[in-house]
Amino acid sequence: LGLVAAMAGAAAAGWLAPVAGDAARYFSPLPDNVTARENIIRGGVELLERLTRSGKYDRIIVVGHSLGSAIGLDIINMAFGTISPDRW
């Protein structure tokens, strides 16, 4: 039973640690992380700007889960301040 628990723990650590690490890195105020977060947000804002400028869509839905929902909210927050109100 101990061996099975150890194997299950090792397997879970193999997929859980990188995901938890990504969230910790995204929200960490360390300089390297801030730069990476700004690049991610800038890319999302640029995408939303291109989509709104195209005029092809009546609505744009941003979907995310877990860390993706936090990133999506950051992108929408930033885009709301940069995209003109008549485009929304």
Side-chain angles (χ1 to χ4, degrees), residues 1-87:
L1 185 59
L3 180 60
V4 171
M7 290 174 61
W15 63 267
L16 182 60
V19 173
D22 286 347
R25 192 170 327 137
Y26 184 80
F27 291 113
S28 170
L30 296 174
D32 290 343
N33 299 339
V34 171
T35 301
R37 181 172 51 245
E38 287 175 352
N39 289 339
I40 292 167
I41 293 170
R42 186 177 316 112
V45 170
E46 289 172 0
L47 174 63
L48 287 178
E49 288 174 339
R50 281 194 311 268
L51 293 173
T52 56
R53 250 194 326 265
S54 75
K56 295 180 181 180
Y57 306 98
D58 292 332
R59 77 180 82 174
I60 299 167
I61 300 171
V62 178
V63 178
H65 168 69
S66 191
L67 177 58
S69 62
I71 293 170
L73 180 60
D74 286 348
I75 290 170
I76 290 170
N77 259 343
M78 187 65 68
F80 194 76
T82 62
I83 297 173
S84 66
D86 62 319
R87 291 285 186 188

